[in-house]
Amino acid sequence: KKKKLLKSANVMVIFHVLAGFHVFLFPLLDYIDGVAIKKGLLPSALLYRLVVRSSLVLLISFVAAAIPFFEVVLGLLGALSITPTTFIMPCLLFLKLRKPRAGSWEFWFCCVTVPVMTVIMFLGAAGAIREFIVKVVKDKEGGRPFQW
């Protein structure tokens, strides 16, 4: 039962990373497209996008695979950057800009979400740091840090 859960979690991570590539690389890819269009590098925009975007994703994937303990670094960055920008700041901005009536469900939802997600953010960061330390110690003892 645990193996099925682990496999489904890995599939979800793959989908999440593929979606993240599209969202976070979009400004860079737009810039590259703009420069290439001005210089007329390739005759077909479709061919250019296929070649450049696929090459960039492959390059980033290769760099990610080459970094030791990349999943731990990704977990730490996710805990310290994605959690605040996805869960904490929107609630704080909603409270600041919309000023919901005190006692309304929106007010209480935001007031509960901010501290809960802050605790989760710090727990995630602490877990990632602990995992990094464990993997470094295991690597120095002759263990296998990479699990392919």
Side-chain angles (χ1 to χ4, degrees):
K1 195 171 186 175
K2 284 184 180 182
K3 287 185 178 183
K4 288 182 181 178
L5 183 62
L6 186 60
K7 286 181 182 180
S8 64
N10 286 334
V11 168
M12 297 300 174
V13 167
I14 290 169
F15 285 132
H16 177 75
V17 169
L18 290 174
F21 266 138
H22 180 70
V23 171
F24 291 110
L25 283 180
F26 202 74
L28 175 64
L29 293 172
D30 275 348
Y31 173 75
I32 293 171
D33 288 347
V35 169
I37 288 170
K38 284 181 185 176
K39 293 186 178 186
L41 294 178
L42 285 177
S44 169
L46 179 64
L47 176 65
Y48 175 78
R49 285 187 173 175
L50 181 67
V51 170
V52 170
R53 291 180 183 214
S54 298
S55 300
L56 190 59
V57 169
L58 287 173
L59 175 70
I60 291 172
S61 299
F62 176 75
V63 170
I67 295 174
F69 316 119
F70 181 70
E71 70 278 1
V72 179
V73 174
L74 192 62
L76 182 62
L77 290 175
L80 294 177
S81 63
I82 302 300
T83 303
T85 57
T86 305
F87 297 106
I88 298 170
M89 289 186 61
C91 289
L92 294 175
L93 291 172
F94 179 80
L95 289 173
K96 178 76 173 164
L97 297 174
R98 296 286 300 263
K99 296 181 177 67
R101 182 177 47 85
S104 68
W105 73 271
E106 296 162 330
F107 176 80
W108 285 109
F109 179 79
C110 290
C111 288
V112 168
T113 301
V114 169
V116 168
M117 293 312 294
T118 303
V119 168
I120 289 173
M121 175 184 72
F122 285 118
L123 288 174
I129 291 169
R130 181 196 170 279
E131 185 70 20
F132 182 74
I133 292 169
V134 166
K135 286 190 178 219
V136 167
V137 168
K138 187 177 182 181
D139 186 38
K140 284 189 177 187
E141 292 173 355
R144 215 174 71 127
F146 301 105
Q147 297 186 8
W148 298 96

